[in-house]
Amino acid sequence: METIPVVVKHQGKRHDVELDPTSTGEVFKMQLYSLTGVEPERQKILVKGGQLKDNTDLSKLGLKPGHVFMMMGTPSTGNDSADVLQRPKEKTRFVEDMTEAEAAQVAGATPAGLQNLGNTCYLNSTLQALKSVPELQIELARYKPSAGGASSSSSGLGDLSQFGLSGLGASMDLTASLRDLYQQMSETQEGFPPLMFLNALRTAFPQFAQRSKTGHGYAQQDAEEAWSQILTQLRQKLKIKGTDDASAEGDAAAAKKDREISFIDKYFAGKFETVTECDEASAKEAGEEPVNGEDVFLKLDCHIGLQTNHLRDGILAGLEEKIEKRSTVLGREAVYTKKSRISRLPKYLTVHFVRFFWKREAQKKAKIMRKVMFPHEMDVVEFCTEQLQSALVPVRNKIRDVRSDELDVERARKRQKRMERSEEADKDDQNKASSSVDGKQPKAEEPSKSKDQKKASTSTAGDTEMSDIPHKTDAEIEAERMASIMEAKRELLKLVDPTLASDDGANKTGLYELRGVVTHQGVSADSGHYTAYVKKEGSKDPSTGKRGDEDGKWWWFNDEKVSEVDEDKIIGLAGGGKRLRADFLGGYKLTQAIRRVPFGPDITLSGDPPSFY
């Protein structure tokens, strides 16, 4: 008997096959294996009445030349030993067999909390938010106190951290104490007592050693003040190699690369360009000119007024202030307006909600309870100088375009999945309505044929002509996605301003992603309770060091108690009533534009924006 030319459709491709009607389904599958690489046991070939079986007699199918088969299935890994059980290359280790330090390093392990040593929740929350900065962890691990520093002069013991006695020698050095504290926290999942660091903080800043008005223990303190004082100390002590002058060129740049600069100035400090001008027209008429200046800032203040509903409103209010000073032209005190615009954005941006103020009539600090919304991604371009805006806007807009394209790809993938499920459902309905191959149910034949005729574009002896629908595997879709991401990355690199590109501690997009929040519950600055929220990072690949996708969860640090919460919990921190209110955002981090694709020396573009604290 002569062979019959048929067509097999598989993953959007058409394969012309010469089918031998005297053979069986097993032989036909072997033919397809040679064409598609899909093993016979992994093939699903749809025929009238169900799937083609190995023992099916092809002569009984009544096939005509040009008949179209639909085949589903994917080839295996291609490794001959893939299906053979092998001894694991690395010995399996159970958590029960690990030391406490090893268990703390396991992917997904709950991080350590900090014990409350008596109204120290303000400090615990601050330390947890600061600990989420990976660059800080790296630089602290490299830190060595100077020979004439406080740690050696105070006790004569020097740095004893190499002997596991770090607290004894470093208790007077705040930076060394912070380094040792974070190292000890990384080796446990239990609540750790930050006693040595607390002693160093109270020695360096006696305000935190203030006693409670009741006479029992120490007084509650402001978390923002603790954050600011710790950064101030780190700014003086923690130095790194490099230049903080992005405009340096040639020999000047090479010389500055060997100069030590502050770690805080590189990653946490921004710059303002300011204009101070007298409000009185008489001063302008007398020839008084506006005064231009430049200021360094470690945080942005969000001033909360009667009309403040959003973080943006409060920041804009903080960029313009009234000051009273003597006018040399007028010869008396006058009111001036100082306007500030950002000329440099740091990689990590701290935003402070100014909720506490001095209430004169009560002679104490009071708290503003107003609800102020804040975003998970913040665009700060409008707060910048025109020159910085011109450098940031092209990159920011490109990031938004890339995200839109990624959403389109994801929608297309979901649409294809729905089409495939719909086709499979139609096939199932057709198979149920049709008669069996041997014709034992002739009454069910007519409805089936009628349905086929309605769905067929062309029909030959009952055979349905199927339309060419391009089918793509998940691997093909992911490959196309990564190719488009790499192309977008190259385009982004071209858009980055050269001056910004040379400053690897600066934000190059104008976008920030929320990474940490410190909250205060209570109505008084002298009481209440502080907690911190830090966004979980993706699990780290031990071989490559790269982190995977994040799951959107957050860690809630409530002193020694640490728990996992959903993102919805963060939305509720805007305030209002007696709920927790954000005291300061301890970390907006530089938004990443394209996930898992390197961008420049120290920046990773991700699907998310930079972060702010």
Side-chain angles (χ1 to χ4, degrees):
M1 186 179 294
E2 296 183 357
T3 59
I4 302 174
V6 296
V7 176
V8 177
K9 288 190 175 183
H10 177 245
Q11 295 184 349
K13 297 181 180 179
R14 297 170 61 96
H15 300 280
D16 295 322
V17 182
E18 293 293 331
L19 182 144
D20 182 2
T22 62
S23 62
T24 62
E26 184 178 10
V27 176
F28 185 49
K29 288 182 178 182
M30 290 301 298
Q31 283 184 271
L32 298 183
Y33 174 43
S34 64
L35 292 173
T36 64
V38 181
E39 295 84 349
E41 64 272 13
R42 298 175 63 89
Q43 296 178 14
K44 289 184 179 180
I45 303 173
L46 302 179
V47 296
K48 196 172 184 180
Q51 295 183 21
L52 181 67
K53 298 180 180 180
D54 291 346
N55 58 357
T56 299
D57 186 350
L58 299 183
S59 62
K60 295 183 178 180
L61 296 181
L63 300 176
K64 303 291 184 180
H67 182 87
V68 178
F69 287 99
M70 174 64 75
M71 171 181 159
M72 293 182 289
T74 57
S76 61
T77 58
N79 186 354
D80 294 335
S81 60
D83 298 328
V84 180
L85 292 177
Q86 297 180 349
R87 183 184 297 276
K89 295 181 179 180
E90 295 183 4
K91 184 179 179 181
T92 303
R93 297 193 65 193
F94 298 95
V95 176
E96 293 81 358
D97 300 327
M98 297 180 182
T99 64
E100 184 179 7
E102 290 173 335
Q105 300 296 329
V106 174
T110 301
L114 290 170
Q115 294 179 18
N116 193 319
L117 303 178
N119 281 338
T120 58
C121 58
Y122 72 93
L123 179 61
N124 293 346
S125 302
T126 300
L127 292 173
Q128 294 288 11
L130 196 58
K131 187 175 182 290
S132 65
V133 180
E135 293 88 348
L136 178 61
Q137 300 293 318
I138 295 172
E139 290 305 322
L140 281 175
R142 297 172 180 168
Y143 174 74
K144 295 185 183 301
S146 59
S151 63
S152 58
S153 61
S154 61
S155 62
L157 296 175
D159 184 14
L160 302 181
S161 59
Q162 58 181 320
F163 304 112
L165 302 172
S166 54
L168 296 177
S171 61
M172 303 303 291
D173 186 328
L174 194 70
T175 305
S177 295
L178 185 63
R179 173 201 63 194
D180 299 333
L181 174 62
Y182 284 161
Q183 175 61 34
Q184 291 160 339
M185 290 174 65
S186 68
E187 296 174 352
T188 183
Q189 292 179 273
E190 304 296 329
F192 189 83
L195 183 59
M196 295 303 176
F197 181 82
L198 182 61
N199 289 337
L201 180 69
R202 287 171 175 168
T203 300
F205 305 102
Q207 69 192 77
F208 297 107
Q210 179 184 355
R211 306 293 295 187
S212 173
K213 293 180 180 179
T214 62
H216 301 289
Y218 291 91
Q220 175 71 284
Q221 300 291 336
D222 190 333
E224 187 276 329
E225 291 180 5
W227 174 280
S228 297
Q229 296 290 28
I230 292 172
L231 288 192
T232 299
Q233 189 75 0
L234 291 176
R235 191 181 184 195
Q236 298 173 3
K237 293 281 189 176
L238 198 57
K239 303 293 183 178
I240 56 178
K241 297 287 186 180
T243 174
D244 57 356
D245 185 0
S247 63
E249 297 181 358
D251 295 337
K256 287 184 177 181
K257 284 183 179 179
D258 294 330
R259 189 185 71 179
E260 285 190 338
I261 63 172
S262 168
F263 171 87
I264 298 299
D265 283 346
K266 180 175 181 178
Y267 290 105
F268 283 84
K271 291 182 180 178
F272 283 134
E273 286 186 4
T274 63
V275 178
T276 306
E277 188 175 10
C278 185
D279 291 354
E280 298 187 28
S282 56
K284 300 175 184 178
E285 294 171 357
E288 184 172 346
E289 296 291 334
V291 177
N292 297 320
E294 185 176 270
D295 295 334
V296 176
F297 68 89
L298 297 180
K299 68 179 187 299
L300 291 180
D301 286 331
C302 173
H303 290 273
I304 303 175
L306 296 176
Q307 304 300 322
T308 307
N309 297 314
H310 194 274
L311 177 64
R312 171 186 175 275
D313 306 329
I315 292 178
L316 283 175
L319 294 178
E320 184 173 320
E321 59 178 323
K322 300 289 184 180
I323 56 176
E324 187 175 343
K325 67 174 186 175
R326 183 174 179 79
S327 170
T328 56
V329 173
L330 299 177
R332 57 178 173 82
E333 295 293 314
V335 177
Y336 287 75
T337 298
K338 181 180 181 181
K339 297 181 179 179
S340 302
R341 283 294 179 267
I342 300 172
S343 59
R344 181 193 187 264
L345 286 169
K347 185 172 184 178
Y348 293 91
L349 180 65
T350 304
V351 181
H352 173 218
F353 285 75
V354 187
R355 289 194 178 275
F356 296 119
F357 68 100
W358 183 255
K359 198 170 185 178
R360 293 183 180 178
E361 55 271 23
Q363 289 295 298
K364 68 175 184 178
K365 274 187 176 181
K367 184 175 182 179
I368 301 173
M369 309 292 288
R370 185 176 182 81
K371 181 177 182 179
V372 180
M373 302 297 295
F374 55 88
H376 282 269
E377 175 177 307
M378 182 168 65
D379 184 346
V380 299
V381 171
E382 65 173 312
F383 309 138
C384 301
T385 61
E386 292 184 0
Q387 181 179 357
L388 184 55
Q389 286 182 7
S390 64
L392 295 174
V393 168
V395 182
R396 181 200 63 182
N397 291 346
K398 181 61 179 178
I399 289 173
R400 290 176 174 173
D401 292 341
V402 170
R403 290 178 181 170
S404 178
D405 293 342
E406 281 195 321
L407 288 175
D408 291 341
V409 171
E410 182 63 18
R411 292 191 190 102
R413 187 186 68 81
K414 292 180 178 179
R415 185 163 55 248
Q416 176 177 306
K417 291 292 185 182
R418 289 196 299 269
M419 291 172 60
E420 291 176 355
R421 288 195 296 267
S422 178
E423 288 179 2
E424 292 178 3
D426 289 344
K427 285 292 182 181
D428 291 340
D429 293 342
Q430 178 182 347
N431 293 335
K432 291 178 181 178
S434 63
S435 62
S436 58
V437 177
D438 57 6
K440 288 185 178 180
Q441 299 177 353
K443 292 184 179 180
E445 186 73 23
E446 284 303 318
S448 176
K449 286 184 179 181
S450 176
K451 185 176 180 180
D452 290 341
Q453 289 171 357
K454 290 180 182 179
K455 298 179 71 175
S457 56
T458 59
S459 178
T460 305
D463 293 334
T464 300
E465 180 68 25
M466 303 182 68
S467 59
D468 291 327
I469 301 175
H471 290 272
K472 296 180 181 180
T473 63
D474 290 341
E476 290 174 331
I477 294 175
E478 181 64 17
E480 290 182 1
R481 175 178 174 272
M482 291 306 298
S484 65
I485 285 175
M486 292 300 295
E487 179 61 29
K489 172 215 167 186
R490 285 189 286 269
E491 294 179 12
L492 275 171
L493 287 171
K494 296 177 183 178
L495 291 173
V496 176
D497 183 88
T499 303
L500 287 179
S502 63
D503 185 357
D504 58 359
N507 181 318
K508 301 169 177 62
T509 67
L511 300 174
Y512 283 95
E513 175 194 14
L514 183 63
R515 303 300 299 186
V517 183
V518 174
T519 68
H520 179 266
Q521 185 174 25
V523 297
S524 172
D526 300 325
S527 60
H529 184 59
Y530 284 98
T531 61
Y533 295 83
V534 175
K535 194 169 187 180
K536 288 182 61 180
E537 292 184 306
S539 58
K540 190 174 184 179
D541 188 330
S543 58
T544 63
K546 296 181 179 180
R547 292 194 177 274
D549 294 341
E550 297 177 348
D551 60 6
K553 303 286 187 178
W554 288 66
W555 291 120
W556 181 20
F557 295 95
N558 184 4
D559 289 333
E560 67 271 14
K561 182 180 179 182
V562 182
S563 54
E564 188 180 87
V565 297
D566 293 326
E567 196 171 53
D568 294 342
K569 179 78 171 178
I570 310 304
I571 298 175
L573 300 178
K578 296 182 179 180
R579 295 181 297 175
L580 286 168
R581 281 161 292 276
D583 182 54
F584 71 94
L585 304 174
Y588 270 101
K589 177 187 174 184
L590 167 69
T591 287
Q592 312 306 321
I594 308 176
R595 193 174 304 279
R596 296 193 305 272
V597 179
F599 175 57
D602 290 327
I603 303 173
T604 300
L605 291 177
S606 77
D608 312 312
S611 348
F612 58 109
Y613 282 77

